[in-house]
Amino acid sequence: MDADCKIQTTPGTGSDKGHITCKDVTLEYDYSLSSFRGPMTEMEEFTDAFKGYHHTKFFEIIHIDSKLHGFFRDSVKITDIKKIKQGAVNNSIITCNTCNMEALLHFRKKKYKWPYYSTLKEVSTYKIEMDTMDGYFRKLFLSGVDTLPSGVLIAPLSGKHTKPSFSVTTYSKNLPKVRKILQSISIKN
């Protein structure tokens, strides 16, 4: 962190947790397999759904043997998510009259449009920024509502279910200061 802060670890929790105090801003941190992930974006929601169940139908449609579905599941890159007019699926791999979203999938140098229906509401109470750095995914989320936390999640790009993630959250509404502190957080390799 770039800020001048005091770190206090909470003993005996079974994971690395504690508090960070930076003058008038208090933050909580958690370094574990179950760190707080923050508000879900449409991309994260679809990625979880694709890896959970959509991948099976996708591989069936493009004629990949069912024994290889698990092997190829992480090879599909989801590069874009966009809203579509309900039922307007042009050049899509499947027909869907109720779909309101479309994902762009890349697999083996080919692109596929995958329509789906989403009930995820716009996360208008948050400003969310995402990027990658040094083998980690970083999601910064700033809340304009007193009852919701602002924070940052730093998670490994590979092995994300077997390696711990690092999250830092705060309820402070001094957003310029909070943003500066959260943006300065990184993981040392």
Side-chain angles (χ1 to χ4, degrees):
M1 294 177 70
D2 291 341
D4 183 27
C5 303
K6 246 182 6 183
I7 300 172
Q8 180 182 358
T9 303
T10 305
T13 59
S15 63
D16 293 328
K17 293 183 180 188
H19 293 80
I20 303 168
T21 306
C22 306
K23 294 184 182 172
D24 61 334
V25 176
T26 302
L27 306 107
E28 292 183 22
Y29 73 87
D30 179 12
Y31 181 69
S32 68
L33 291 174
S34 59
S35 293
F36 179 61
R37 301 200 63 80
M40 293 287 278
T41 64
E42 189 68 47
M43 179 70 82
E44 290 173 302
E45 192 76 28
F46 179 76
T47 299
D48 286 352
F50 184 83
K51 290 184 178 188
Y53 53 88
H54 286 307
H55 74 279
T56 302
K57 186 172 182 180
F58 172 73
F59 289 134
E60 287 172 358
I61 291 169
I62 64 170
H63 306 292
I64 299 290
D65 189 296
S66 62
K67 295 174 192 159
L68 299 173
H69 290 186
F71 180 75
F72 283 129
R73 182 178 62 193
D74 291 334
S75 300
V76 178
K77 301 295 178 223
I78 303 160
T79 58
D80 193 27
I81 301 282
K82 67 179 184 178
K83 287 184 183 181
I84 58 172
K85 185 176 178 183
Q86 203 161 21
V89 289
N90 299 320
N91 302 321
S92 296
I93 192 169
I94 59 173
T95 303
C96 178
N97 294 326
T98 60
C99 291
N100 61 355
M101 300 294 288
E102 184 175 76
L104 184 59
L105 312 177
H106 289 245
F107 180 68
R108 291 185 159 181
K109 299 181 182 179
K110 289 185 180 179
K111 295 178 184 179
Y112 302 92
K113 291 181 179 179
W114 186 268
Y116 67 100
Y117 181 77
S118 174
T119 58
L120 188 67
K121 302 257 189 282
E122 288 286 328
V123 190
S124 60
T125 55
Y126 280 101
K127 178 175 171 74
I128 301 173
E129 300 171 15
M130 296 184 295
D131 62 4
T132 59
M133 58 182 202
D134 301 325
Y136 289 90
F137 161 79
R138 179 173 63 173
K139 177 170 59 171
L140 176 73
F141 48 97
L142 298 170
S143 169
V145 179
D146 289 342
T147 57
L148 298 173
S150 294
V152 66
L153 169 72
I154 302 174
L157 286 171
S158 61
K160 68 179 183 179
H161 298 293
T162 58
K163 295 180 183 175
S165 299
F166 186 67
S167 67
V168 178
T169 57
T170 183
Y171 284 92
S172 172
K173 294 307 164 201
N174 183 347
L175 293 184
K177 187 170 186 177
V178 167
R179 171 190 275 283
K180 185 176 180 183
I181 292 169
L182 294 175
Q183 283 182 323
S184 75
I185 296 173
S186 63
I187 293 183
K188 291 181 183 179
N189 289 327

